[in-house]
């Protein structure tokens, strides 16, 4: 029987601490302020943006949403980023992805000031992450590392296998796990014989976005299984892992919902506070 890693409870615990940090900042006259730019009408993005706003408000962070039409020109998005970069009351900026096809995402992300890059997706912050000189950590990857630490998982010398090579989750998580001396493999949907690798995993992370991708025959007895997938199947939210059959083999496993999802939003807020402190010369 796998121990359930309760991301929701852990996120709530962290949020209580974060609230106190926000109160301290406010007592010094500092209002943490975070801007989300959402271009177009992707329905999942709208849900994410709303969830973030609720969470921000509950910990005392101001979140402003710039909801732009899907026809917004790249030039206008860049001009908005320039304006927010220059605004001293703004501590964090993120551009919700995916963006419409006519937008060059790399050009847009590169325009964000690295000092305000809450997502850690600007080239200099990605570079700093791989140099083990982090300025900011992508929230989902940071949340997973903190969850493992919270449950006493030591990565030193472990085989960590990550399915998914995204800039948002797979790659930064690989960097953070490597830094803890795990032996890291990054797989993806074009990998041949996924199970040859996954069966070697002490820690298996699936962030591929495919329901029922990870089945019990792919998982070693006693593995720790982290499910980052968010998939909608017949009106239900499910992860990438066939939970019912994998859970008995795992030593620890995250559920969907209530596992990694709540951590993503919580740790995004933690990055906002980190950047707010830095902008005000407050040491951590
Ligand atoms: N869309 C889904 N997840 C994310 C994320 O972590 N960052 C950004 N910018 N867009 C997303």
């Amino acid at each position: 029987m796998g121990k359930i890693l309760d991301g929701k409870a852990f996120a709530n615990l962290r949020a209580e601490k974060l609230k106190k940090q926000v109160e301290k900042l406010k007592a010094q006259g500092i209002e943490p302020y975070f801007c989300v730019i959402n271009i177009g009408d992707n329905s999942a993005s709208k849900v994410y943006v709303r969830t973030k706003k609720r969470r921000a408000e509950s910990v005392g962070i101001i979140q402003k949403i710039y909801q732009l039409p899907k026809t917004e020109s790249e030039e206008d998005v860049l001009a908005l980023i320039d304006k927010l970069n220059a605004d001293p009351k703004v501590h964090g900026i993120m551009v919700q992805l995916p963006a419409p096809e006519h937008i060059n995402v790399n050009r847009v992300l590169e325009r964000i000031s690295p000092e305000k890059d809450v997502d850690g997706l600007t080239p200099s912050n990605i570079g700093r992450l791989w140099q083990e000189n982090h300025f900011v950590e992508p929230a989902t990857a940071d949340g997973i590392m903190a969850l493992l630490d919270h449950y006493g998982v030591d990565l030193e010398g472990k085989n960590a296998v990550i399915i998914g090579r995204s800039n948002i989750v797979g790659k930064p998580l690989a960097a953070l796990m490597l830094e803890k001396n795990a032996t890291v493999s990054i797989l993806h949907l074009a990998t041949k014989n996924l199970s040859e690798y996954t069966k070697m995993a002490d820690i298996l992370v699936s962030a591929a976005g495919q329901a029922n991708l990870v089945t019990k025959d792919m998982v070693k007895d006693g593995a720790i299984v982290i499910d980052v997938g968010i998939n909608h199947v017949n009106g239900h939210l499910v992860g990438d892992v066939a939970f019912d059959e994998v859970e008995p083999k795992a030593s620890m496993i995250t559920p969907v919902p209530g596992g990694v999802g709540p951590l993503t939003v919580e740790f995004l807020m933690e990055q906002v506070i980190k950047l707010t402190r830095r902008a005000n010369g407050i040491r951590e």
Side-chain angles (χ1 to χ4, degrees), residues 217-272:
D217 51 301
M218 296 167 71
V219 178
K220 182 168 92 167
D221 273 329
I224 297 168
V225 180
I226 307 291
D227 192 349
V228 190
I230 297 180
N231 308 296
H232 295 274
V233 175
N234 302 328
H236 292 284
L237 180 65
V238 297
D240 290 353
V241 176
F243 184 88
D244 290 345
E245 61 174 65
V246 171
E247 183 265 334
K249 276 188 101 174
S251 63
M252 297 183 182
I253 186 165
T254 58
V256 176
V260 173
L263 296 175
T264 296
V265 188
E266 168 56 26
F267 279 78
L268 188 69
M269 299 306 147
E270 297 203 7
Q271 310 307 326
V272 174

Side-chain angles (χ1 to χ4, degrees), residues 45 48 52 94-98 109 119 121 138-140 168-169 264 268:
S45 290
Y48 286 140
K52 283 195 270 261
M94 75 173 277
V95 176
Q96 185 69 34
L97 301 174
L109 293 177
D119 254 340
L121 292 179
T140 305
I168 293 174
V169 183
T264 296
L268 188 69

Side-chain angles (χ1 to χ4, degrees), residues 72-186:
E72 190 82 350
S73 72
E74 187 176 301
E75 285 312 307
D76 286 349
V77 176
L78 294 174
L80 173 59
I81 293 173
D82 288 344
K83 187 176 92 149
L84 299 176
N85 282 340
D87 184 343
K89 73 174 183 301
V90 174
H91 302 109
I93 304 168
M94 75 173 277
V95 176
Q96 185 69 34
L97 301 174
E101 277 195 2
H102 69 278
I103 302 282
N104 180 326
V105 169
N106 285 338
R107 202 176 302 145
V108 165
L109 293 177
E110 278 177 29
R111 195 68 159 247
I112 297 171
S113 160
E115 282 68 41
K116 298 190 179 186
D117 170 25
V118 273
D119 254 340
L121 292 179
T122 55
S124 67
N125 283 330
I126 294 171
R128 285 164 168 164
L129 192 75
W130 285 93
Q131 286 173 325
E132 303 188 9
N133 175 32
H134 317 180
F135 187 74
V136 67
E137 296 84 14
T140 305
D142 197 27
I144 292 170
M145 295 301 285
L147 184 73
L148 291 172
D149 184 58
H150 178 69
Y151 280 97
V153 176
D154 180 8
L155 279 97
E156 177 94 18
K158 299 275 167 53
N159 283 340
V161 174
I162 301 167
I163 313 174
R165 39 154 289 179
S166 70
N167 292 328
I168 293 174
V169 183
K171 288 180 202 161
L173 184 61
L176 293 173
M177 289 185 153
L178 198 57
E179 190 178 320
K180 296 285 181 198
N181 287 331
T183 303
V184 181
S185 308
I186 306 180

Side-chain angles (χ1 to χ4, degrees), residues 22-44:
V22 173
E23 281 163 16
K24 262 197 206 159
L25 289 170
K26 290 192 171 175
Q28 299 172 66
I30 301 164
E31 293 276 352
Y33 192 109
F34 166 45
C35 298
V36 179
I37 302 173
N38 189 36
I39 315 158
D41 46 19
N42 180 292
S43 57

